[in-house]
Structures are given as structure tokens and as C-alpha cells.
Amino acid sequence: MTQDRSEMSEDDDDKQSPPLDLRSAAIAEPSSSSSSSSVVVVVDSTPNKSRNCISSSSSGSLTSQPFPDHVLENVLENVLQFLDSRCDRNAASLVCKSWWRVEASTRSEVFIGNCYALSPARLTQRFKRVSSFVLKGKPRFADFNLMPPDWGANFAPWVSTMAKAYPWLEKVDLKRMFVTDDDLALLADSFPGFKELILVCCEGFGTSGIAIVANKCRKLKVLDLIESEVTDDEVDWISCFPEDVTCLESLAFDCVEAPINFKALEGLVARSPFLKKLRLNRFVSLVELHRLLLGAPQLTSLGTGSFSHDEEPQSEQEPDYAAAFSACKSVVCLSGFRELMPEYLPAIYPVCANLTSLNFSYANISPDMFKPIIQNCHKLQVFWALDSICDEGLQAVAETCKELRELRIFPFDPREDSEGPVSEVGLQAISEGCRKLESILYFCQRMTNAAVIAMSENCPELTVFRLCIMGRHRPDHVTGKPMDEGFGAIVKNCKKLTRLAVSGLLTDQAFRYMGEYGKLVRTLSVAFAGDSDMALRHVLEGCPRLQKLEIRDSPFGDAALRSGMHRYYNMRFVWMSACSLSRGCCKDIASAMPNLVVEVIGSDDDDENRDYVETLYMYRSLDGPRKDAPKFVAIL
Amino acid sequence: MEGCPRNRETIGPKLLDLIPQGRKWYQEDKNNIDQEKKLELRLGPPGGDEEDRSAMKKNNNTETRNIKMESEDKSFQGFNSNHFSSSNKTSQKRTAPGPVVGWPPVRSFRKNLASTSSSKLGNESSHGGQINKSNDDDEKQVEPKREGMFVKINMDGVPIGRKVDLNANNSYEQLSFAVDKLFRGLLAAQRESSGGEGEEKPIIGLLDGKGEFTLTYEDNEGDKMLVGDVPWQMFVSSVKRLRVIKSSEISSALTFGCSSKQEKMRH
């Protein structure tokens, strides 16, 4: 977690372009030119793009005047290169063929929200000068074991294609992709100027792959491994960084479950004068952290490692941890605390007042330990914690953190029937104290409509509202009613809401509200909710901006699925697992919508009921169904 | 992982160690297996049974259908898994609701926190063990599916280890080429950085003792051996990891026991 929240959240592609018209996105299609004249002039003689229609004059005579059009293109190029937002760029590319071409040649940052929506070849054919690349693979529900491993999202075809097409590539940012050590080796070999590698929720590689990147990417500025599964190949990858001064600005390896060579790390930090972000894994102890801090006072973002001792505390004097933290005047983002020894927590007091981001989500801290800390954190904007801080801790947050924008409360004991130390009390307190709240993820066991309604009224800036009542189908625990009114209020009152995750006992009414009022909702997550097909129909017939729909264990069937056919091309994906879908219906949809890839996953040994669809995952694609689907995936 | 017969086969032997009957019994009686899996002792938090999806899957379907039916009655309040009707897919009768796969929606690394808060040593072995276990399981499950068998391979003088797919090779000679391919560039880079010549030279003579390097392996009993003495298939079935050592150090490498790296392992 860093100050840049978009790294962790799903909402980094919030400001979206209008969905691309599939026709105009295809390379070969000429767009219809606007002019009344019938003159066709080939301006650009490159072989692949021969059908450019630019009319020159209205006289109808055949003129060949490349000059003004060249000028136009040059001007366009100079102007378009300043366009950063992909929303704007997508819009510009739809103006006409000439703009499309120029935009394609000037786009340096490409974002691909679904790796199977197009082939790597299409990417390299359209965009010629890509230096930065963001790619997302598996759907989010794969994080929760709802998808068998080996489903796909392989980075290999992408890296091998880009290796030839973009030797100047500098940045790769992957999320939920399967990346192998060989892929990393190819990356390290192919891009001499490579600067930033960010792997979020990825897997398939190990410390050997990381070692290769560390060793060969001499210009590396950012190596961020975030919530990824990294196998321990027993390689001392820290020692693989080059011996001389590095360009490193950010090094995050808190998810790497392997011991590291601390001496090498110390040396690395010492020769990395530009290092601002350092996130250690739990194999770095407090004592080691102390030494690092003394050598790197310029850090702005720190992941503290284990925050505990390996052995028994020494008889000699213990290091002055607080002093080390006081020296770090620039630290504004603090995380780690992987195996926190709470008695050492006061060491962070000196930095609390400066903190804008604090992640305690691995630390089982009680309210008593927590309150003294949080009372100093007036500038806090992003706060992640475990529910062990209880409603009391949340009240303390509400009292102090008036600038809070993002809150995430994770369950210490993530089971349905666990204690549940936070409840509607905490949520209510936050809503009253933190009026600027924009994003919330809240796990609890008990909730009331009243508290949710209060939040909807007190926090008008909310764009992300994710409430997980862990016991399935739990109603408002005070009134016994469904949670419909609470979620209804959220969609009604939070006019900026783009992402919603619902839980608890919900009837079709809740979905009626969502469909009617969720005007900007792009991402919707539903689990164990709704009564009938009508619920899903409300959403599919409403929610005009819906892009990502993920549903599990809800009673939605074929009729509901069919009701959304008019919009599946305008969505990134739809996931429905353990619902009531039949294979026949999915097949019908697949036939009716050729640019939609309809995957039915799992349950192929389900002899009793072959028609039942365990998991449906469907998404638009420009290049047809993928060729790397494993056996348990049927593409209809 | 789920729904795949292979998965059951890998779990099966643990149970079958106690039961003298063969696999045939196992496959005929799926429901009992699911029950036995529940009883199986494993490392993990209570209820955190996300790996065991094949058992959960049937349960899920049942629950979903129950929910649909009961909500039609509009009398549905709270979760109720005890109602099994005739539209059941499975004959599994459970008295208590089992844990559901992927619920609550918390990523697996966040599920281990309850065990982490215990003593540090306990942390390392349970937490580390768990992570390793899941990693190993993933690798084991991944490998048969991909029909590839990846073993780790390290080379003296090169800090970066690799993995080689034994199933992609059919003979020692092919393996030798594969090793050359994996390490040639890295070795040259390593030599360059330590002041030697950085020219890439092919790594040859791995099997006959005549080259600068020799290929050795550690088998499933922990013994270190020279590669090439036994028939290929026998080698493939017993090899656990590979190591390319300097030919001059053959005798010392094979005599001494665990490498220091092994001793560094958390558990």
C-alpha cells in the first residue's frame, strides 16, 4: 500500500473512456470520412494503412495534396502527445482515421484491462511507441479460490511479442497475471532501458526470476512485488543487484516469503541514494530495521518488516528505535508490522504526525495499544487495519483523522461465525467523523441499515463502498430486516459511487435501487444475495456505466442473463458462479454474440447434471476465443 | 485443483496409507472421500479449507438451490443449510453448514493471521510451513496438469537458480543441452562481473566428467549423485533437484551432506 492508492484498489481505471466501438477499434476497418466530396487521396503510403480517406476539396477534382495533410498530421502529433489520459486518447482516436493513426503513434502508455480482450499482435500493430504497459489478467474472484489454478492469464505471449516490438519498453505493471521466471528473464534481456516492474497479485515466478531482473536491469528504478506469490528458490536475489550505485527509487518485497541476506540489503540501501520507498518482508527484524533506518533517512514510504525480534532480547542496551524513527522525517507512509511485538509500537510515535498512510492490517492490535498511536495521526488519509482495534479503535480514528479518504478494516479471524469485534457502531462513528471519506472496505459480523444510511448521508464523496457482512444472508441485527434500505441509500445518496460490493440479507428490492440509482457504478460485486432473476435484471437494465459484474451463489438464472445481452459488448467482463445458469442459455448467448468469449469453467466431471453451469466468465474480445484454455474451461 | 481426478489421487495416498484397499474403492465412493478429507489432519486455521473445493463445490450447489427455493417462499431468514430437498445434486447429508470456498472474500495470505500472533518460532513453522505447503501444492498440482516436471537447478558460481522441465527432455543429452541453455548467459555475466571474460562459452561435458562442470543431482532419499548412471526414467522418478558443480570438486561435493542453503531453510 502506498500513497498512490490506485496500486491496490480496483478503481485505478475509474476515469474510463466510453467503451470503444468494436468496429472502429479493429485495425483494418476504414472509418467513414465525413466530407461530401468523393475524392479519395492516399496520404500515407505505409502498406498496412492504405485506405485512408481524406478528402481535399469540394470541387470534386482529383487533387493530390499531401502537404496540408502532412502538416495536419504533424500538428496533431505534437498536440496529441500531450494527452495523457487514456479516456481522452480513446476519444481522440475515434474522431477519424487520421486522428486514430496519429494517436496510435503517440500513445506511450497502454492499459489493457483484460489480457484476453485482444491479442499481443493487435497491440503491437496498433501502437508503435509503447514505453509503459499495464495489463490485468484473472478476474478478481480468482483471489478467493473460485477458479482452478492454471486457468491462464499468461504473461509469456505478451512479453515475447513486446520484446520484438518495443525494445525501448520501460515500465510493466501486471495484475493477476501468471508470470514465469523465464518471462522475467526474457524481460530482463529484451529491454535495456527497463525501469519499472510492478507485479500485483501475480504468481508463477520465484526469487530466481526476481534475481535475474535485479541483475540485468541496470536502470531499474522500481521493483514492486505486491501481494504476489513468490516461490522461494533459495536464491540470494538481493545480492544480485549491481555493485555500483543503483537507480532504485522503490523496492517493495513484503510479500516475498523467503529470508533475505540482510547484509546485502544494507549495502544495497546504502548505494541507492534515490530510494524513497522500501517495503521489507517479515524476515527483517526490528534490529535490522533500525540499522536500515539510520542509513536511509530520506525514505518516504516504509514497510517495517516483522517489527519483532528473532531471539530473546539481548542483555545489552536495546537500540533506540524511536530515535531512528525520529530521524526519518520524510516518512509519510508506514506499513508492515508483520509479526508485531506491541511493546515496540510506541517507537513510531515520532512519525505519526506526518503520516498520510498507515497500514496495520497485519497487526493484531487491541484498542488500548492502538488509541495512543492514532491520536497523533491527524493527517492520515489512508488507513488499513484489522478489526482487532474494535469499534472503540474506529471511534478513535473518527475523532482524529478528519482527512481520512480511504478505510479498510480486515477480519483478524475471517470465518463466518467468528466474534466480530467491529459492527455498525464503528461504521457510524467513522461516518460522523470522517466526512471526506471516499473509499471503504469493511468486514464485520453485525450491521444495521441505520448505520449504512448514516454513512450515505454523511459521506457524499464516497466512490467505493464495499461492505462484507461475513455471515451469509444476515439481516439488520437490530430490526431483523434485510439490508436493502442501507444499500439503497448508498446508491441514492452517494452520487459519485463507482464501485459497490454488497452482502447480508438482500432481496430483489436492493437491486431495484441499484439499477435505478447506481448511475455511475462501474464495478458491482454480489454474493449470496437476491431472490430471483428480477434482481439481476434490475441491474442489467439499469446501471448504465456497469463494466465489471461479479456474482456468486445467487439465484439468478437464464432469463436474467439473457436480459443483459444488449450490453455485454460494453462491459469488460461478467462473472457468475454457483448461480442458476444452464449451459444451453450460455451457448445461445455465445452464438448470438460472436465477439463475446463465453467461458464455462469447471464441473466437467459433473455427470449428473451436464447442463448446469458452475462458473460463467464472459468478456468481449477483438481476437476471438483464446487458444490457451485449459481442459476444465469450455469456450462456447 | 477442483474437480480434477488427479487432485484426489494426490490426496488419496495419505488416506490409503491407513486403509489396505486399492484405488478402486477410493474412486467409487466420492462422498466418503469428501467426508474423510474433512477429518484429515492438516495444518491450517479452522474452517479455512479453501483448497478443498471439490467437496465444497457440491455443497455450494446444494446451498444455492436451497436458497433459491427458500427465497421463493419469501420466508427466508438467515443461512440455512439443513434443508435438503429432492433437487439435491449430491446425497451428502451434513448436519452443520460447512465452510464455503472463498468466503469471506479474504485473500489467503490474510487468513493465516490467527496463527501468526503466537510465538515467533511457532509463527515461522506454521506460517512458513503453511505458505510453503501451499506453494508446493500449487507446484505439484500445476506440474501434472502442465505435464511438465520442474526441478530446481543451481550452478556453482551463479547466484541465480533456475528450474528445468524434466519432462521436456527425453534423455541425458537433451538435459545437458537444456542446462547449457539455462546457464550459459548467466555464467558469462557472472564471469564478466568478477573481472573475467564475459564471452559466452557453451557448457559442455556435463555428463562425462571431462568438461569444466559436472551435473549432479539429489534424489528423493537425500543422496547426492552424478547424473547419468541410471536409466533416464529411473532418474526422472527419483530426482529432486539438480546442481552443476565444478568438475574439480566432484569428490567433495558428493561426500558432504546438506548444503548450507538447506540448513538455512525455515523448517
Side-chain angles (χ1 to χ4, degrees):
Chain A
M1 179 183 84
T2 61
Q3 283 172 302
D4 179 14
R5 288 185 261 135
S6 62
E7 231 172 51
M8 297 290 263
S9 76
E10 296 285 321
D11 316 305
D12 53 358
D13 46 1
D14 239 8
K15 302 184 198 68
Q16 258 310 283
S17 62
L20 276 182
D21 177 1
L22 282 177
R23 257 189 318 116
S24 61
I27 291 173
E29 296 276 331
S31 64
S32 49
S33 186
S34 53
S35 165
S36 51
S37 162
S38 58
V39 172
V40 172
V41 176
V42 175
V43 171
D44 189 339
S45 60
T46 52
N48 288 340
K49 302 189 163 99
S50 53
R51 283 171 288 165
N52 301 309
C53 310
I54 302 220
S55 70
S56 52
S57 73
S58 52
S59 66
S61 61
L62 183 75
T63 57
S64 52
Q65 287 192 8
F67 180 69
D69 303 299
H70 272 320
V71 170
L72 176 65
E73 291 217 353
N74 282 339
V75 168
L76 259 183
E77 216 174 288
N78 282 317
V79 169
L80 287 186
Q81 72 184 3
F82 291 105
L83 274 186
D84 287 332
S85 131
R86 72 179 183 266
C87 173
D88 294 341
R89 281 189 160 271
N90 287 344
S93 71
L94 294 177
V95 168
C96 69
K97 195 64 178 168
S98 172
W99 280 54
W100 187 92
R101 232 186 18 250
V102 174
E103 192 282 314
S105 68
T106 56
R107 189 183 299 215
S108 61
E109 295 174 6
V110 171
F111 171 90
I112 296 174
N114 175 6
C115 63
Y116 288 123
L118 71 156
S119 66
R122 185 177 288 269
L123 167 72
T124 54
Q125 278 164 32
R126 177 172 174 182
F127 298 111
K128 297 296 187 193
R129 300 221 200 105
V130 175
S131 62
S132 164
F133 176 68
V134 180
L135 183 66
K136 296 191 179 184
K138 292 187 238 185
R140 198 179 69 97
F141 274 6
D143 288 353
F144 315 123
N145 298 298
L146 290 183
M147 182 179 252
D150 246 13
W151 170 80
N154 298 302
F155 183 47
W158 294 91
V159 65
S160 56
T161 306
M162 290 196 297
K164 299 176 201 127
Y166 308 135
W168 46 76
L169 194 69
E170 292 181 353
K171 174 176 169 182
V172 166
D173 181 337
L174 305 178
K175 187 164 187 178
R176 293 200 187 90
M177 293 294 296
F178 193 88
V179 181
T180 65
D181 292 331
D182 284 330
D183 297 336
L184 292 175
L186 183 60
L187 183 146
D189 266 332
S190 314
F191 308 120
F194 196 74
K195 292 189 181 149
E196 297 186 40
L197 180 64
I198 300 166
L199 300 176
V200 181
C201 302
C202 294
E203 57 173 353
F205 63 101
T207 46
S208 44
I210 298 304
I212 300 176
V213 171
N215 188 256
K216 293 199 169 175
C217 301
R218 300 274 153 152
K219 306 246 174 87
L220 198 66
K221 293 205 297 191
V222 173
L223 179 58
D224 281 354
L225 307 172
I226 297 167
E227 291 191 11
S228 292
E229 247 190 66
V230 184
T231 57
D232 178 9
D233 301 329
E234 291 167 35
V235 169
D236 180 5
W237 58 278
I238 299 273
S239 298
C240 295
F241 281 95
E243 288 292 320
D244 27 304
V245 171
T246 76
C247 311
L248 275 181
E249 293 174 17
S250 173
L251 178 62
F253 61 94
D254 43 341
C255 61
V256 177
E257 287 293 313
I260 50 136
N261 178 340
F262 178 71
K263 202 144 177 263
L265 179 63
E266 224 182 339
L268 177 66
V269 171
R271 64 182 192 277
S272 301
F274 306 107
L275 194 66
K276 290 277 187 279
K277 299 186 186 179
L278 180 63
R279 291 211 244 148
L280 309 166
N281 69 8
R282 64 181 181 91
F283 293 90
V284 179
S285 69
L286 250 184
V287 175
E288 291 167 340
L289 172 66
H290 181 258
R291 279 167 58 179
L292 280 177
L293 286 182
L294 292 178
Q298 81 282 9
L299 290 177
T300 58
S301 172
L302 176 65
T304 57
S306 69
F307 220 84
S308 69
H309 284 307
D310 284 337
E311 312 94 13
E312 297 298 310
Q314 278 95 7
S315 49
E316 50 193 75
Q317 212 173 6
E318 255 189 343
D320 187 350
Y321 297 119
F325 275 97
S326 331
C328 296
K329 302 208 180 309
S330 325
V331 166
V332 292
C333 172
L334 202 56
S335 61
F337 311 102
R338 294 276 173 148
E339 281 155 7
L340 174 70
M341 283 182 177
E343 56 269 32
Y344 292 104
L345 204 48
I348 70 170
Y349 278 138
V351 295
C352 286
N354 296 332
L355 288 183
T356 55
S357 172
L358 177 59
N359 181 351
F360 272 156
S361 66
Y362 289 95
N364 182 18
I365 319 178
S366 69
D368 291 331
M369 286 175 227
F370 173 67
K371 280 159 52 173
I373 306 276
I374 202 68
Q375 275 157 7
N376 296 319
C377 301
H378 298 96
K379 291 193 190 163
L380 210 58
Q381 295 184 21
V382 176
F383 180 56
W384 293 20
L386 290 179
D387 58 5
S388 58
I389 61 171
C390 302
D391 286 330
E392 204 184 324
L394 289 171
Q395 282 162 331
V397 172
E399 276 160 34
T400 315
C401 308
K402 299 301 178 191
E403 297 299 316
L404 199 67
R405 304 287 196 272
E406 176 177 325
L407 176 69
R408 295 199 193 191
I409 301 296
F410 295 95
F412 172 67
D413 187 5
R415 290 175 300 135
E416 278 191 78
D417 44 1
S418 60
E419 256 309 301
V422 299
S423 69
E424 75 279 1
V425 173
L427 192 74
Q428 179 93 24
I430 293 287
S431 77
E432 287 164 8
C434 308
R435 298 300 177 103
K436 298 187 186 176
L437 198 66
E438 294 173 5
S439 169
I440 182 165
L441 169 64
Y442 197 85
F443 282 84
C444 60
Q445 290 286 9
R446 313 185 295 290
M447 188 46 60
T448 62
N449 281 305
V452 178
I453 293 171
M455 178 155 275
S456 77
E457 290 166 354
N458 294 335
C459 304
E461 300 299 315
L462 272 180
T463 55
V464 174
F465 186 78
R466 300 160 68 188
L467 177 62
C468 181
I469 303 169
M470 291 193 278
R472 287 165 288 165
H473 308 105
R474 288 238 179 106
D476 177 323
H477 81 98
V478 168
T479 66
K481 292 198 175 141
M483 292 298 298
D484 297 343
E485 294 308 310
F487 285 104
I490 290 287
V491 285
K492 267 187 234 171
N493 300 333
C494 302
K495 309 266 192 255
K496 300 185 183 179
L497 197 76
T498 56
R499 181 171 180 187
L500 180 64
V502 300
S503 61
L505 180 65
L506 292 170
T507 70
D508 291 350
Q509 178 60 33
F511 294 87
R512 177 172 285 135
Y513 288 139
M514 283 180 235
E516 189 177 337
Y517 297 106
K519 301 264 187 272
L520 296 182
V521 171
R522 295 187 66 244
T523 307
L524 180 62
S525 304
V526 176
F528 304 100
D531 297 329
S532 72
D533 282 356
M534 274 319 294
L536 181 53
R537 287 184 60 177
H538 287 312
V539 167
L540 289 172
E541 289 165 8
C543 295
R545 294 285 169 95
L546 194 63
Q547 286 287 301
K548 298 182 262 182
L549 181 59
E550 43 189 32
I551 301 175
R552 63 167 293 184
D553 294 273
S554 300
F556 307 144
D558 295 346
L561 193 64
R562 282 187 220 275
S563 73
M565 280 172 70
H566 62 289
R567 62 183 315 178
Y568 295 137
Y569 278 156
N570 289 332
M571 291 175 67
R572 189 182 294 176
F573 71 79
V574 173
W575 166 291
M576 287 179 67
S577 59
C579 295
S580 308
L581 300 173
S582 76
R583 212 177 168 95
C585 170
C586 295
K587 251 205 170 93
D588 291 345
I589 292 184
S591 320
M593 304 183 73
N595 283 325
L596 199 69
V597 175
V598 178
E599 293 192 12
V600 170
I601 302 169
S603 63
D604 54 359
D605 58 346
D606 222 330
D607 294 325
E608 294 136 46
N609 191 357
R610 251 179 231 233
D611 202 38
Y612 175 72
V613 168
E614 173 69 40
T615 300
L616 166 73
Y617 180 53
M618 60 188 196
Y619 48 90
R620 63 187 169 186
S621 171
L622 291 174
D623 288 311
R626 57 188 176 117
K627 313 238 180 350
D628 63 354
K631 293 200 193 104
F632 54 81
V633 170
I635 299 185
L636 302 181
Chain B
M1 181 163 93
E2 302 82 20
C4 171
R6 274 209 173 122
N7 183 48
R8 298 199 191 113
E9 279 170 18
T10 47
I11 293 182
K14 289 185 207 166
L15 308 171
L16 292 176
D17 285 344
L18 305 171
I19 298 154
Q21 283 138 8
R23 291 240 166 107
K24 215 164 144 206
W25 163 84
Y26 179 80
Q27 276 161 359
E28 277 166 14
D29 207 344
K30 293 180 189 175
N31 287 333
N32 276 355
I33 292 308
D34 292 336
Q35 293 284 9
E36 300 238 20
K37 271 191 232 166
K38 290 280 135 280
L39 299 173
E40 192 181 309
L41 289 177
R42 328 176 154 193
L43 210 57
D49 215 1
E50 67 243 28
E51 289 167 14
D52 197 4
R53 193 169 173 240
S54 52
M56 292 301 104
K57 179 181 71 168
K58 305 253 156 124
N59 202 28
N60 260 347
N61 295 338
T62 318
E63 287 159 6
T64 311
R65 281 155 187 219
N66 288 337
I67 291 158
K68 182 174 182 187
M69 283 170 1
E70 294 182 29
S71 59
E72 280 162 11
D73 294 336
K74 301 254 189 273
S75 59
F76 192 82
Q77 283 280 341
F79 177 65
N80 208 335
S81 75
N82 292 336
H83 292 203
F84 289 103
S85 71
S86 55
S87 74
N88 255 5
K89 283 185 59 194
T90 106
S91 56
Q92 222 170 352
K93 299 234 184 318
R94 318 187 87 171
T95 49
V100 175
V101 174
W103 189 264
V106 170
R107 296 200 71 212
S108 46
F109 57 80
R110 288 199 183 278
K111 293 204 178 199
N112 299 329
L113 296 174
S115 57
T116 309
S117 63
S118 49
S119 78
K120 189 80 167 27
L121 205 59
N123 281 350
E124 305 237 45
S125 55
S126 63
H127 193 55
Q130 188 133 19
I131 299 296
N132 264 352
K133 179 176 193 274
S134 61
N135 277 346
D136 283 346
D137 281 351
D138 282 345
E139 283 178 27
K140 282 194 189 120
Q141 283 156 4
V142 163
E143 284 147 24
K145 271 183 153 32
R146 296 172 147 215
E147 290 156 15
M149 185 190 163
F150 288 87
V151 293
K152 294 181 191 168
I153 175 167
N154 288 83
M155 180 165 185
D156 275 353
V158 177
I160 297 162
R162 303 301 306 273
K163 288 199 195 119
V164 63
D165 180 0
L166 288 180
N167 281 355
N169 299 290
N170 291 323
S171 68
Y172 287 119
E173 210 181 309
Q174 283 188 10
L175 175 62
S176 180
F177 282 132
V179 172
D180 173 40
K181 203 172 105 186
L182 283 174
F183 282 107
R184 197 196 287 198
L186 290 173
L187 189 63
Q190 199 61 29
R191 285 190 163 145
E192 193 181 343
S193 65
S194 49
E197 45 172 275
E199 198 192 295
E200 284 193 5
K201 283 190 290 189
I203 303 171
I204 49 168
L206 284 167
L207 304 169
D208 52 16
K210 295 194 185 126
E212 193 188 339
F213 292 96
T214 298
L215 189 57
T216 67
Y217 73 104
E218 187 180 318
D219 70 2
N220 47 13
E221 287 165 4
D223 296 327
K224 294 185 198 276
M225 331 243 267
L226 288 173
V227 164
D229 290 338
V230 301
W232 172 256
Q233 279 308 323
M234 195 188 289
F235 163 71
V236 168
S237 63
S238 64
V239 64
K240 282 289 159 261
R241 57 193 302 168
L242 292 160
R243 188 164 192 92
V244 181
I245 60 172
K246 284 216 164 71
S247 300
S248 51
E249 288 171 22
I250 291 179
S251 52
S252 54
L254 296 182
T255 325
F256 292 108
C258 297
S259 67
S260 58
K261 275 188 184 157
Q262 276 187 322
E263 279 161 5
K264 254 199 247 163
M265 283 212 31
R266 283 190 302 286
H267 60 284

